[in-house]
Amino acid sequence: MLPLLGAELRRITGRRGSFYGSILFALIIMGITIAVDDAQSGATAMERVATAGRYAGLLGVVVMGALAGSYDSANGTMRYLVLTGVPRWQLAVVRIVGMMVAVLPMALLILVIAYVSSMGVGDGPSGTVVGESTWAVLATLWTWGIVSTSVGMLMRSNGSAIAVSVVLFFGGALITALVAEFISETLANYLLPTVFEQVAALIKPDEEEGLALSLAAAFAVLAVWLVALSAAAIARVQRDEY
Amino acid sequence: MEPVISLNNVTKRFGQHVAVDSVTIDVPKGRCYAWLGPNGCGKTTLIRMMLGLARVSSGEIKVRGLSVPGHTREALSRVGGIVEEPRFYPYLSGRKNLEVWAAHQGREAHAAIAPSLDRVGLADRANDRVGTYSLGMRQRLGVARALLNDPELLVLDEPTNGLDPAGLAEFRIMIRELVDEGRSVFISSHILSEVEKMADDIAIIEKGKMLANGSVADLMRGGTHAISVRTTDPDRAEPLLRALPFSLGVSRVAGDVLEVKVEEADDAALLRTGQDLFGAGIGILELQKKGETLERRFLELTGTTAGELGGASVLAAPPAADSPADATTESR
């Protein structure tokens, strides 16, 4: 499995435009945030910069993941990977795991910059804030890395995979708001954007925010979403003709 | 000896369309076997099924004695292939591309990268990005990739596409070397002249159906010869040629060129043709024997024209032959 993972990382990082472009975009947004931020405490400063970094990074990760999922099918290389005799499900799983590993340099850069930039503000960030920010960044990049890689495998075409992944993020928030407003607030609690945000920010049930699920339940629902999307993608890879 | 590929009544349907129709072949080990047919006749579909890339609608496929699907992983463990066209990661170098594939095939495959690149003559360009390679270079890199797992069987789909004449000659030599090493090579092609020079055995396919298979020599023996005549008066010459005692039929190949189909294009037949035409006062501009070629045999079997095959000249299609040699299997 490790050699396969190494090969997958080589493929993802080899697409330099999406890999380094995503990191650069996150850094630029963080730079702007630091420049205009007027936080008085280190904790708030780190949270704000890390939040800017994780949302900017998310956009890049959506592109990287969609490409990781769809590239081999769109490019015609998938048939040669299948020809190696490695089971198809394993090829699909390695893509998802590879994507989770590939976002780590970006996550590390976001966290280091957020931490360093907040050190001189007030007393600097506490250990709890550092821990929560680390979790928020990783949860964001991993969740949307898995979602976009799965969408990529389901779509099989680079352009549509990127488009659907981006729409899923932005449109997902809109759909969730509409569901909460016009259909059911309870149902909206189970939708991917809601549980993702609750888990990433470790938000406890809050009536004012309209969050009814416990944190543990939100974790479970998010896991179901990710497993279901990944399973659908793996099933497609397993079934497709190349 | 157990065949390296065994197809038993293999059929592939896409809705109502039958892409491969009840094909049965045994491909012998240690030989170059060519799968010959015009574009769109089902060659690639059959290869994709053999390699576990596409499902079989009905029938049974065995590769190296193992069922595909069923034991695909074991069956393909010593099989290399090019399907449709060689595809790579254009942003990685040739060497890094092979490293990606070797990672899926184990340490021995990794050790085979340098020798494979040497073998296909790409060692000097191995560190260049594949995006800068010509189609011919990508074909050669495709063969290098196919060699990584020390294959017993190579399945190459239209492998000579994009090769220049020098590259074609090198490729033929390489295929013969691979066969001499005891490997089996299965090639699909629509280029008759290439197949004739490269293959030991041939199967001819058209519209998903196998029309004939056997050794190249046997297949060509099963065909007829012809005497080609360019005359000053083809309209008057035609009935005269048809009346020749050895004539099996006459076809007009071009405006003033006629072909008399014969069992054996010998000197006596040539002389008699000339004499009869001169005797009738018809001028002869060219008179020549047309011997056994795979192209003639192919055209006879498929009832198609050289133009449809992508040949340089357009030949009229003579009627189908009906006298196959003993060692040749025909199924039309």
mmCIF file of all heavy atoms in Angstrom, chain A residues 2 5-6 8-10 12-13 19 23 64 93-108 138 141-142 145-146 149:
data_model
loop_
_atom_site.group_PDB
_atom_site.id
_atom_site.type_symbol
_atom_site.label_atom_id
_atom_site.label_comp_id
_atom_site.label_asym_id
_atom_site.label_seq_id
_atom_site.Cartn_x
_atom_site.Cartn_y
_atom_site.Cartn_z
ATOM 1 N N LEU A 2 2.022 1.230 0.710
ATOM 2 C CA LEU A 2 2.865 2.432 0.790
ATOM 3 C C LEU A 2 3.414 2.857 -0.570
ATOM 4 O O LEU A 2 3.391 4.054 -0.902
ATOM 5 C CB LEU A 2 4.004 2.214 1.792
ATOM 6 C CG LEU A 2 3.656 2.525 3.248
ATOM 7 C CD1 LEU A 2 4.866 2.285 4.144
ATOM 8 C CD2 LEU A 2 3.158 3.960 3.418
ATOM 9 N N LEU A 5 0.742 4.589 -2.385
ATOM 10 C CA LEU A 5 0.500 5.916 -1.820
ATOM 11 C C LEU A 5 1.557 6.902 -2.324
ATOM 12 O O LEU A 5 1.247 8.046 -2.691
ATOM 13 C CB LEU A 5 0.531 5.823 -0.288
ATOM 14 C CG LEU A 5 0.081 7.044 0.487
ATOM 15 C CD1 LEU A 5 -1.329 7.444 0.107
ATOM 16 C CD2 LEU A 5 0.161 6.774 1.990
ATOM 17 N N GLY A 6 2.805 6.440 -2.366
ATOM 18 C CA GLY A 6 3.889 7.280 -2.880
ATOM 19 C C GLY A 6 3.621 7.679 -4.327
ATOM 20 O O GLY A 6 3.816 8.842 -4.717
ATOM 21 N N GLU A 8 0.708 7.827 -5.789
ATOM 22 C CA GLU A 8 -0.440 8.737 -5.821
ATOM 23 C C GLU A 8 -0.002 10.164 -5.463
ATOM 24 O O GLU A 8 -0.408 11.133 -6.105
ATOM 25 C CB GLU A 8 -1.513 8.249 -4.840
ATOM 26 C CG GLU A 8 -2.786 9.075 -4.808
ATOM 27 C CD GLU A 8 -3.506 9.108 -6.154
ATOM 28 O OE1 GLU A 8 -3.557 8.061 -6.817
ATOM 29 O OE2 GLU A 8 -3.984 10.188 -6.545
ATOM 30 N N LEU A 9 0.859 10.275 -4.447
ATOM 31 C CA LEU A 9 1.342 11.606 -4.044
ATOM 32 C C LEU A 9 2.160 12.242 -5.155
ATOM 33 O O LEU A 9 2.094 13.446 -5.387
ATOM 34 C CB LEU A 9 2.179 11.492 -2.766
ATOM 35 C CG LEU A 9 1.364 11.223 -1.504
ATOM 36 C CD1 LEU A 9 2.285 10.958 -0.317
ATOM 37 C CD2 LEU A 9 0.459 12.412 -1.201
ATOM 38 N N ARG A 10 2.931 11.407 -5.859
ATOM 39 C CA ARG A 10 3.729 11.927 -6.976
ATOM 40 C C ARG A 10 2.805 12.483 -8.060
ATOM 41 O O ARG A 10 3.080 13.500 -8.667
ATOM 42 C CB ARG A 10 4.584 10.785 -7.523
ATOM 43 C CG ARG A 10 5.484 11.213 -8.626
ATOM 44 C CD ARG A 10 6.485 10.137 -8.944
ATOM 45 N NE ARG A 10 7.646 10.243 -8.104
ATOM 46 C CZ ARG A 10 8.741 9.501 -8.249
ATOM 47 N NH1 ARG A 10 8.788 8.595 -9.197
ATOM 48 N NH2 ARG A 10 9.780 9.652 -7.475
ATOM 49 N N ILE A 12 -0.320 13.644 -7.571
ATOM 50 C CA ILE A 12 -1.017 14.857 -7.102
ATOM 51 C C ILE A 12 -0.060 16.049 -7.088
ATOM 52 O O ILE A 12 -0.377 17.120 -7.601
ATOM 53 C CB ILE A 12 -1.610 14.621 -5.687
ATOM 54 C CG1 ILE A 12 -2.729 13.580 -5.745
ATOM 55 C CG2 ILE A 12 -2.139 15.928 -5.103
ATOM 56 C CD1 ILE A 12 -3.266 13.157 -4.384
ATOM 57 N N THR A 13 1.135 15.847 -6.527
ATOM 58 C CA THR A 13 2.068 16.981 -6.431
ATOM 59 C C THR A 13 2.658 17.312 -7.807
ATOM 60 O O THR A 13 3.101 18.433 -8.033
ATOM 61 C CB THR A 13 3.208 16.679 -5.439
ATOM 62 O OG1 THR A 13 3.860 15.463 -5.849
ATOM 63 C CG2 THR A 13 2.691 16.517 -4.033
ATOM 64 N N PHE A 19 -1.581 22.014 -7.229
ATOM 65 C CA PHE A 19 -1.009 21.771 -5.896
ATOM 66 C C PHE A 19 -0.414 23.057 -5.303
ATOM 67 O O PHE A 19 -0.818 23.515 -4.239
ATOM 68 C CB PHE A 19 0.052 20.673 -5.980
ATOM 69 C CG PHE A 19 0.637 20.307 -4.645
ATOM 70 C CD1 PHE A 19 -0.110 19.605 -3.714
ATOM 71 C CD2 PHE A 19 1.929 20.685 -4.298
ATOM 72 C CE1 PHE A 19 0.423 19.275 -2.467
ATOM 73 C CE2 PHE A 19 2.464 20.351 -3.059
ATOM 74 C CZ PHE A 19 1.705 19.654 -2.153
ATOM 75 N N ILE A 23 -1.928 26.170 -2.488
ATOM 76 C CA ILE A 23 -1.197 26.624 -1.301
ATOM 77 C C ILE A 23 -0.983 28.140 -1.382
ATOM 78 O O ILE A 23 -1.213 28.875 -0.411
ATOM 79 C CB ILE A 23 0.149 25.879 -1.178
ATOM 80 C CG1 ILE A 23 -0.111 24.389 -0.889
ATOM 81 C CG2 ILE A 23 1.020 26.501 -0.084
ATOM 82 C CD1 ILE A 23 1.124 23.519 -0.849
ATOM 83 N N MET A 64 -7.909 20.318 -6.315
ATOM 84 C CA MET A 64 -6.930 19.220 -6.249
ATOM 85 C C MET A 64 -7.627 17.858 -6.153
ATOM 86 O O MET A 64 -7.270 16.894 -6.824
ATOM 87 C CB MET A 64 -6.052 19.372 -4.996
ATOM 88 C CG MET A 64 -4.866 20.284 -5.159
ATOM 89 S SD MET A 64 -4.137 20.663 -3.539
ATOM 90 C CE MET A 64 -3.616 19.061 -2.992
ATOM 91 N N VAL A 93 -9.213 3.609 -3.113
ATOM 92 C CA VAL A 93 -8.937 3.954 -1.709
ATOM 93 C C VAL A 93 -7.628 4.746 -1.611
ATOM 94 O O VAL A 93 -7.528 5.737 -0.871
ATOM 95 C CB VAL A 93 -8.877 2.670 -0.847
ATOM 96 C CG1 VAL A 93 -8.306 2.968 0.532
ATOM 97 C CG2 VAL A 93 -10.267 2.054 -0.720
ATOM 98 N N VAL A 94 -6.627 4.329 -2.386
ATOM 99 C CA VAL A 94 -5.334 5.027 -2.354
ATOM 100 C C VAL A 94 -5.488 6.481 -2.789
ATOM 101 O O VAL A 94 -4.827 7.370 -2.260
ATOM 102 C CB VAL A 94 -4.300 4.285 -3.238
ATOM 103 C CG1 VAL A 94 -3.114 5.157 -3.560
ATOM 104 C CG2 VAL A 94 -3.845 3.018 -2.548
ATOM 105 N N ARG A 95 -6.372 6.733 -3.729
ATOM 106 C CA ARG A 95 -6.607 8.124 -4.159
ATOM 107 C C ARG A 95 -7.115 8.972 -2.999
ATOM 108 O O ARG A 95 -6.671 10.097 -2.801
ATOM 109 C CB ARG A 95 -7.673 8.144 -5.248
ATOM 110 C CG ARG A 95 -7.104 7.978 -6.589
ATOM 111 C CD ARG A 95 -8.197 8.184 -7.607
ATOM 112 N NE ARG A 95 -7.755 7.562 -8.830
ATOM 113 C CZ ARG A 95 -8.566 7.107 -9.761
ATOM 114 N NH1 ARG A 95 -9.869 7.205 -9.591
ATOM 115 N NH2 ARG A 95 -8.094 6.582 -10.840
ATOM 116 N N ILE A 96 -8.066 8.408 -2.262
ATOM 117 C CA ILE A 96 -8.660 9.177 -1.156
ATOM 118 C C ILE A 96 -7.619 9.397 -0.065
ATOM 119 O O ILE A 96 -7.441 10.522 0.430
ATOM 120 C CB ILE A 96 -9.905 8.443 -0.611
ATOM 121 C CG1 ILE A 96 -11.001 8.442 -1.685
ATOM 122 C CG2 ILE A 96 -10.418 9.104 0.655
ATOM 123 C CD1 ILE A 96 -12.186 7.548 -1.380
ATOM 124 N N VAL A 97 -6.907 8.327 0.294
ATOM 125 C CA VAL A 97 -5.885 8.451 1.342
ATOM 126 C C VAL A 97 -4.773 9.404 0.860
ATOM 127 O O VAL A 97 -4.284 10.247 1.630
ATOM 128 C CB VAL A 97 -5.292 7.060 1.687
ATOM 129 C CG1 VAL A 97 -4.173 7.191 2.705
ATOM 130 C CG2 VAL A 97 -6.386 6.147 2.223
ATOM 131 N N GLY A 98 -4.394 9.270 -0.413
ATOM 132 C CA GLY A 98 -3.359 10.138 -0.971
ATOM 133 C C GLY A 98 -3.747 11.596 -0.870
ATOM 134 O O GLY A 98 -2.932 12.460 -0.546
ATOM 135 N N MET A 99 -5.015 11.875 -1.117
ATOM 136 C CA MET A 99 -5.493 13.258 -1.040
ATOM 137 C C MET A 99 -5.400 13.770 0.399
ATOM 138 O O MET A 99 -5.021 14.928 0.635
ATOM 139 C CB MET A 99 -6.941 13.285 -1.539
ATOM 140 C CG MET A 99 -7.495 14.657 -1.747
ATOM 141 S SD MET A 99 -6.515 15.595 -2.919
ATOM 142 C CE MET A 99 -6.847 17.226 -2.318
ATOM 143 N N MET A 100 -5.720 12.903 1.363
ATOM 144 C CA MET A 100 -5.655 13.309 2.774
ATOM 145 C C MET A 100 -4.214 13.616 3.183
ATOM 146 O O MET A 100 -3.962 14.506 3.994
ATOM 147 C CB MET A 100 -6.245 12.212 3.666
ATOM 148 C CG MET A 100 -7.755 12.081 3.493
ATOM 149 S SD MET A 100 -8.459 10.757 4.471
ATOM 150 C CE MET A 100 -8.430 11.521 6.093
ATOM 151 N N VAL A 101 -3.270 12.877 2.615
ATOM 152 C CA VAL A 101 -1.859 13.128 2.936
ATOM 153 C C VAL A 101 -1.373 14.381 2.193
ATOM 154 O O VAL A 101 -0.625 15.191 2.745
ATOM 155 C CB VAL A 101 -0.990 11.904 2.556
ATOM 156 C CG1 VAL A 101 0.482 12.192 2.789
ATOM 157 C CG2 VAL A 101 -1.413 10.672 3.359
ATOM 158 N N ALA A 102 -1.844 14.540 0.957
ATOM 159 C CA ALA A 102 -1.353 15.649 0.124
ATOM 160 C C ALA A 102 -1.741 17.017 0.678
ATOM 161 O O ALA A 102 -1.070 18.010 0.384
ATOM 162 C CB ALA A 102 -1.885 15.494 -1.298
ATOM 163 N N VAL A 103 -2.809 17.085 1.508
ATOM 164 C CA VAL A 103 -3.216 18.402 2.035
ATOM 165 C C VAL A 103 -2.413 18.779 3.285
ATOM 166 O O VAL A 103 -2.510 19.916 3.759
ATOM 167 C CB VAL A 103 -4.736 18.450 2.362
ATOM 168 C CG1 VAL A 103 -5.560 18.188 1.120
ATOM 169 C CG2 VAL A 103 -5.108 17.486 3.474
ATOM 170 N N LEU A 104 -1.624 17.844 3.797
ATOM 171 C CA LEU A 104 -0.915 18.131 5.050
ATOM 172 C C LEU A 104 0.077 19.299 4.936
ATOM 173 O O LEU A 104 0.141 20.120 5.860
ATOM 174 C CB LEU A 104 -0.211 16.863 5.566
ATOM 175 C CG LEU A 104 -1.169 15.767 6.062
ATOM 176 C CD1 LEU A 104 -0.407 14.544 6.545
ATOM 177 C CD2 LEU A 104 -2.071 16.292 7.170
ATOM 178 N N PRO A 105 0.872 19.414 3.859
ATOM 179 C CA PRO A 105 1.768 20.583 3.782
ATOM 180 C C PRO A 105 1.002 21.904 3.829
ATOM 181 O O PRO A 105 1.431 22.848 4.489
ATOM 182 C CB PRO A 105 2.464 20.407 2.421
ATOM 183 C CG PRO A 105 2.357 18.963 2.104
ATOM 184 C CD PRO A 105 1.080 18.511 2.723
ATOM 185 N N MET A 106 -0.149 21.943 3.152
ATOM 186 C CA MET A 106 -0.950 23.161 3.171
ATOM 187 C C MET A 106 -1.458 23.440 4.593
ATOM 188 O O MET A 106 -1.376 24.573 5.085
ATOM 189 C CB MET A 106 -2.142 23.036 2.219
ATOM 190 C CG MET A 106 -2.975 24.298 2.137
ATOM 191 S SD MET A 106 -4.578 24.021 1.395
ATOM 192 C CE MET A 106 -4.151 23.902 -0.299
ATOM 193 N N ALA A 107 -1.939 22.388 5.244
ATOM 194 C CA ALA A 107 -2.454 22.545 6.608
ATOM 195 C C ALA A 107 -1.345 23.054 7.525
ATOM 196 O O ALA A 107 -1.562 23.972 8.342
ATOM 197 C CB ALA A 107 -2.995 21.206 7.114
ATOM 198 N N LEU A 108 -0.166 22.488 7.380
ATOM 199 C CA LEU A 108 0.960 22.881 8.231
ATOM 200 C C LEU A 108 1.310 24.348 8.009
ATOM 201 O O LEU A 108 1.483 25.113 8.978
ATOM 202 C CB LEU A 108 2.171 21.983 7.917
ATOM 203 C CG LEU A 108 3.364 22.150 8.852
ATOM 204 C CD1 LEU A 108 3.004 21.664 10.247
ATOM 205 C CD2 LEU A 108 4.568 21.380 8.329
ATOM 206 N N LEU A 138 -7.518 20.808 9.750
ATOM 207 C CA LEU A 138 -7.438 19.430 9.238
ATOM 208 C C LEU A 138 -8.818 18.911 8.847
ATOM 209 O O LEU A 138 -8.985 18.295 7.788
ATOM 210 C CB LEU A 138 -6.818 18.512 10.299
ATOM 211 C CG LEU A 138 -5.312 18.669 10.492
ATOM 212 C CD1 LEU A 138 -4.830 17.784 11.645
ATOM 213 C CD2 LEU A 138 -4.544 18.330 9.219
ATOM 214 N N LEU A 141 -9.887 20.545 5.472
ATOM 215 C CA LEU A 141 -9.169 20.077 4.279
ATOM 216 C C LEU A 141 -9.435 18.597 4.023
ATOM 217 O O LEU A 141 -9.566 18.173 2.872
ATOM 218 C CB LEU A 141 -7.671 20.364 4.410
ATOM 219 C CG LEU A 141 -7.281 21.852 4.616
ATOM 220 C CD1 LEU A 141 -5.766 22.026 4.535
ATOM 221 C CD2 LEU A 141 -7.952 22.760 3.589
ATOM 222 N N TRP A 142 -9.519 17.807 5.084
ATOM 223 C CA TRP A 142 -9.766 16.370 4.896
ATOM 224 C C TRP A 142 -11.197 16.119 4.368
ATOM 225 O O TRP A 142 -11.405 15.354 3.445
ATOM 226 C CB TRP A 142 -9.552 15.611 6.194
ATOM 227 C CG TRP A 142 -8.095 15.332 6.471
ATOM 228 C CD1 TRP A 142 -7.075 15.396 5.577
ATOM 229 C CD2 TRP A 142 -7.520 14.944 7.721
ATOM 230 N NE1 TRP A 142 -5.885 15.073 6.192
ATOM 231 C CE2 TRP A 142 -6.127 14.789 7.502
ATOM 232 C CE3 TRP A 142 -8.025 14.721 8.998
ATOM 233 C CZ2 TRP A 142 -5.242 14.412 8.512
ATOM 234 C CZ3 TRP A 142 -7.144 14.337 10.012
ATOM 235 C CH2 TRP A 142 -5.764 14.186 9.771
ATOM 236 N N GLY A 145 -11.450 17.351 0.893
ATOM 237 C CA GLY A 145 -10.561 16.522 0.065
ATOM 238 C C GLY A 145 -11.247 15.211 -0.285
ATOM 239 O O GLY A 145 -11.261 14.780 -1.449
ATOM 240 N N ILE A 146 -11.870 14.582 0.722
ATOM 241 C CA ILE A 146 -12.569 13.304 0.485
ATOM 242 C C ILE A 146 -13.783 13.526 -0.423
ATOM 243 O O ILE A 146 -14.020 12.779 -1.374
ATOM 244 C CB ILE A 146 -13.011 12.676 1.832
ATOM 245 C CG1 ILE A 146 -11.784 12.254 2.647
ATOM 246 C CG2 ILE A 146 -13.922 11.480 1.600
ATOM 247 C CD1 ILE A 146 -12.089 11.851 4.086
ATOM 248 N N THR A 149 -12.576 14.357 -4.050
ATOM 249 C CA THR A 149 -11.955 13.194 -4.708
ATOM 250 C C THR A 149 -13.045 12.189 -5.100
ATOM 251 O O THR A 149 -13.022 11.619 -6.195
ATOM 252 C CB THR A 149 -10.928 12.520 -3.782
ATOM 253 O OG1 THR A 149 -10.000 13.509 -3.336
ATOM 254 C CG2 THR A 149 -10.155 11.430 -4.507
#
